[in-house]
Every structure is written in structure tokens, then in C-alpha cells.
Amino acid sequence: MAADKSPAQTPPPSVHADDADEEDENVKQLEQCSSLYLSLQDCLVKSNRNWKSCQSDVQALKECNERRTKNSRKEKK
């Protein structure tokens, strides 16, 4: 019996994979935090908008945004 070698399966594309490429100014304004924002959106879609199950993504986005805001204030001084 020959071994059935199926091609390696690639994971499905992110639900929001194209969002950052579109003219979505809100995502673009997040700059380095945009990937965290999109990860949070993916989590919310997968969990049926259950914020409690996405708290690690929420915290990561919050921390990134706080760093971005802090760095922005330093640059303006």
C-alpha cells in the first residue's frame, strides 16, 4: 500500500488579512499596533465577540498603544 502524501496544509488566511492593505485609516493610524488590533479582531470573530476569551489580545493592544502614545509625546517635546 502506497503512503498517501497529501500536500502540506497551510493555515487559512486571517479573517482580516486584507484590512491593513485597504484604505482603512483607523487601522493605519495604529501604526506598529495594527497587527495586534487585527489579531484582536480575529479573536473576537472566532469567539463570537466574547471579550473575556480575548483578554490577552486586549492587553497586548493596550500596552502597544500606551507605548506608542508615550513615544509620541516624547517626540513632540
Side-chain angles (χ1 to χ4, degrees), residues 2-4 6-7 13 18 24 26 35-36 39 44-45 57 61 63 65 68:
D4 182 21
S6 58
D18 295 330
D24 186 349
N26 293 329
S35 62
L36 295 171
S39 293
L44 291 170
V45 168
D57 295 296
L61 179 59
E63 290 169 8
N65 191 51
R68 187 174 65 89

Side-chain angles (χ1 to χ4, degrees), residues 69-77:
T69 302
K70 185 177 179 181
N71 290 340
S72 175
R73 287 181 185 155
K74 283 182 180 179
E75 290 174 2
K76 290 182 180 180
K77 288 184 178 182

Side-chain angles (χ1 to χ4, degrees), residues 14-26:
S14 170
V15 175
H16 299 282
D18 295 330
D19 285 359
D21 295 334
E22 295 175 2
E23 293 299 316
D24 186 349
E25 292 302 316
N26 293 329

Side-chain angles (χ1 to χ4, degrees), residues 1 5-6 9 19 23-24 32 37 40 42 48-49 54-55 63:
M1 204 174 197
K5 291 187 177 183
S6 58
Q9 292 183 352
D19 285 359
E23 293 299 316
D24 186 349
Q32 67 270 26
Y37 172 79
L40 172 58
D42 287 341
N48 196 29
R49 309 299 289 176
C54 300
Q55 283 303 299
E63 290 169 8

